[in-house]
Amino acid sequence: VDNGATLTIEGEGNIEGSSYGVYAKNGTLNIKSGNFTAETSAVQVGAATVNIEGGTFSNTDEDKRYTINCLDANWKDGTSKVNITGGTFIDFNPANNHAEGVGTNFCAKGFTALIDDNGYTVVQVVAVSNKDELKNVFKKDGDIKGVIKLDSDIVTDARLYVNAGNKVHFDMNGKKIQVEESYNDYIFYIREGGTLIIDGNGTVEAETPAPVVFCPVGDLIIESGT
């Protein structure tokens, strides 16, 4: 991609490069889907803008740092721009990598990467700061697959649902969920086929005989917290 051109790639095909899968030298590259691999970089970026919405990205080298990579000079002067809002990356964390130095983050604002058996998948981060926002995100008929981040302490009086087919990563961000005194039911309800991962070293406080989490058929993973 050169001379200010724009290239958009989509469809479930394969691009297998030698050094690079796609080289955005000068212009705009939009990747919506597809499988991209090369020996060094699935996507190499010069003085260009790269927007990745989906697809799978990998390299065949033992060194995985440069699966997505920018030319150093262009990165330093700000002419290399990478905005990732989706996709799966094999052995490469687009939110925290070494391509342009320790802690390089290619994810767009409001997005992060979660690791699973398939690699690092980029998902949206939904921030909540009050009980209505929290209830709306965890609503009974809701569909969310990504990260929910607690931005402040919240007092709640409602069930928080994780629905079938949803894998929800709940970052408590050091905050607290407290249940109103009149509430005597469980807080989180993982419905059949749902997955809830709780981390972020937060606190859930409830004066209720019911369990904090009700998980009849589903998956609950608690990585930290009280």
Side-chain angles (χ1 to χ4, degrees):
V1 182
D2 201 3
N3 297 318
T6 297
L7 172 65
T8 298
I9 300 174
E10 59 186 340
E12 297 307 317
N14 302 313
I15 291 180
E16 299 176 1
S18 51
S19 294
Y20 311 137
V22 186
Y23 179 20
K25 184 178 180 181
N26 180 279
T28 301
L29 170 64
N30 303 309
I31 297 177
K32 298 181 180 293
S33 54
N35 303 303
F36 302 80
T37 189
E39 183 176 340
T40 304
S41 300
V43 179
Q44 176 80 349
V45 189
T49 297
V50 172
N51 303 306
I52 297 175
E53 299 177 19
T56 301
F57 304 84
S58 62
N59 76 14
T60 58
D61 193 10
E62 290 184 4
D63 188 349
K64 305 299 183 182
R65 283 180 295 173
Y66 306 114
T67 300
I68 307 296
N69 186 55
C70 299
L71 293 179
D72 290 346
N74 296 123
W75 176 260
K76 289 175 182 177
D77 68 17
T79 55
S80 279
K81 296 180 175 62
V82 182
N83 305 299
I84 300 178
T85 58
T88 299
F89 301 79
I90 310 303
D91 297 323
F92 177 85
N93 183 350
N96 185 7
N97 61 79
H98 291 191
E100 310 306 325
V102 176
T104 301
N105 183 5
F106 290 137
C107 289
K109 185 177 181 181
F111 291 81
T112 191
L114 299 179
I115 189 170
D116 57 25
D117 292 341
N118 298 318
Y120 290 91
T121 299
V122 174
V123 296
Q124 188 173 10
V125 178
V126 178
V128 295
S129 57
N130 60 61
K131 69 178 185 180
D132 291 332
E133 290 177 349
L134 188 64
K135 181 180 178 181
N136 186 57
V137 168
F138 283 101
K139 59 188 178 182
K140 191 172 183 179
D141 59 351
D143 184 26
I144 184 165
K145 301 172 185 178
V147 174
I148 299 168
K149 184 177 181 180
L150 203 59
D151 265 359
S152 64
D153 296 344
I154 292 177
V155 178
T156 186
D157 61 348
R159 284 186 187 176
L160 306 175
Y161 291 91
V162 177
N163 296 301
N166 282 209
K167 184 176 183 179
V168 178
H169 191 110
F170 188 40
D171 178 4
M172 294 196 66
N173 193 29
K175 308 300 183 185
K176 178 192 289 187
I177 293 178
Q178 191 171 2
V179 177
E180 291 186 355
E181 292 182 5
S182 60
Y183 190 72
N184 61 2
D185 203 352
Y186 40 83
I187 305 170
F188 294 99
Y189 181 14
I190 304 175
R191 305 177 81 183
E192 183 172 353
T195 298
L196 175 63
I197 302 169
I198 300 176
D199 72 356
N201 203 28
T203 302
V204 180
E205 255 182 33
E207 295 181 6
T208 169
V212 170
V213 182
F214 182 55
C215 182
V217 184
D219 292 309
L220 170 66
I221 301 167
I222 297 177
E223 298 183 347
S224 63
T226 302

